[in-house]
Each structure stands twice: as C-alpha cells, then as structure tokens.
Amino acid sequence: MNMPNRTRLCAAVVATALLTAGPLALSARAADAPTAPAVTAAQQSRAEVRVNSFFREYREAVLHKGHSTPAQVRARYLAPDLDKRLDAWALQHDADPVFRAQNVPASWATRYEGSGAGHSTVVLTERWSGGAKQEVWFSVRLQDLVINDLKDPAS
C-alpha cells in the first residue's frame, strides 16, 4: 500500500472511531487535548513591549510611585546619547523630555509603525484627563531593545 492510500485509510479509521464513540467521547478527547495560547490581533511587538515598559516605569518614577528615579529608568532603557539629548531638550523647552509636556499624561497607548535597518518605530499616544492627546515617536534598536531616539511626530 503506498503512502497516500495509507494516510487516507488512517484518516477513515480515526473518523469512524470518533463517530461510533459518540459525542461524549469526542468532547472528552477534545477536553484532554492541549490548548494553544490565544493569539489576538492586539499582540504587541517586542519594541512596543519595551516602550510600554519604559513609559510605565518612567511615569511611576516621576509620580514617586516606583522604586527608581526618572534618571535611573532613563539610564536603564535609553541609549546614553539619547539621554543627553533629552536633558538638552528639557532645558530648551522647560518641560519633561519624555512626556514632551509639563505634566504627566493620564494614560497612553502604543502602536507599531514599522521596522527597517535594525530598528522599529513605535508611536506612543499620550492622553491627558482633559481629553488632549499627543504623539511621541520612539526608535528601538532591535539588536538589544535599547531606545535610541524619541521625537515629536514628523511634520
């Protein structure tokens, strides 16, 4: 017997066994089968997870709710040259360089914007309690998930 015929025969035997065993046996077998984790459309890229973790920890540090200072969080997640550029941005704009504002956003959301040349772009949308929104664009180096750029949206 060649392989295609053997495969069809095995499938027919299994189907017959399941049909004759009745619905109770079928549901018991299905319940015993291992289930794969659910994958949703909202699953985040590694870069989005990294930006979310950074932003959450940074926000908690600014609000004095975390175990780290804002400077410690920035040092852990950001490339050193970006950290220096953010200090300069803060002096020039008299605002928090990560939030791009003088106050702390109430919530945020991220979206993956694309990848290329070893980097991913993640857009973080900040929301304030009054309804205002603002986007901040993050560049994440894929090799080590270091955030190496943060800027206002392209004009």
Side-chain angles (χ1 to χ4, degrees), residues 82-150:
L82 172 59
D83 201 23
K84 289 177 188 173
R85 285 186 281 135
L86 291 179
D87 287 338
W89 189 97
L91 289 173
Q92 182 180 5
H93 294 91
D94 192 31
D96 185 281
V98 173
F99 300 145
R100 310 303 246 195
Q102 292 180 337
N103 54 357
V104 179
S107 65
W108 70 94
T110 59
R111 80 172 184 270
Y112 171 79
E113 191 65 22
S115 293
H119 292 80
S120 280
T121 300
V122 175
V123 178
L124 185 135
T125 304
E126 301 169 317
R127 292 182 179 89
W128 281 268
S129 55
K133 293 192 294 189
Q134 173 176 281
E135 288 186 345
V136 180
W137 290 53
F138 288 78
S139 177
V140 180
R141 194 169 50 216
L142 293 175
Q143 163 188 332
D144 53 9
L145 295 178
V146 168
I147 298 168
N148 66 345
D149 203 7
L150 181 157

Side-chain angles (χ1 to χ4, degrees), residues 48-62:
E48 281 178 283
V49 169
R50 187 67 171 182
V51 169
N52 261 321
S53 295
F54 164 68
F55 199 79
R56 182 187 66 253
E57 287 183 39
Y58 184 79
R59 185 176 178 279
E60 288 174 357
V62 168

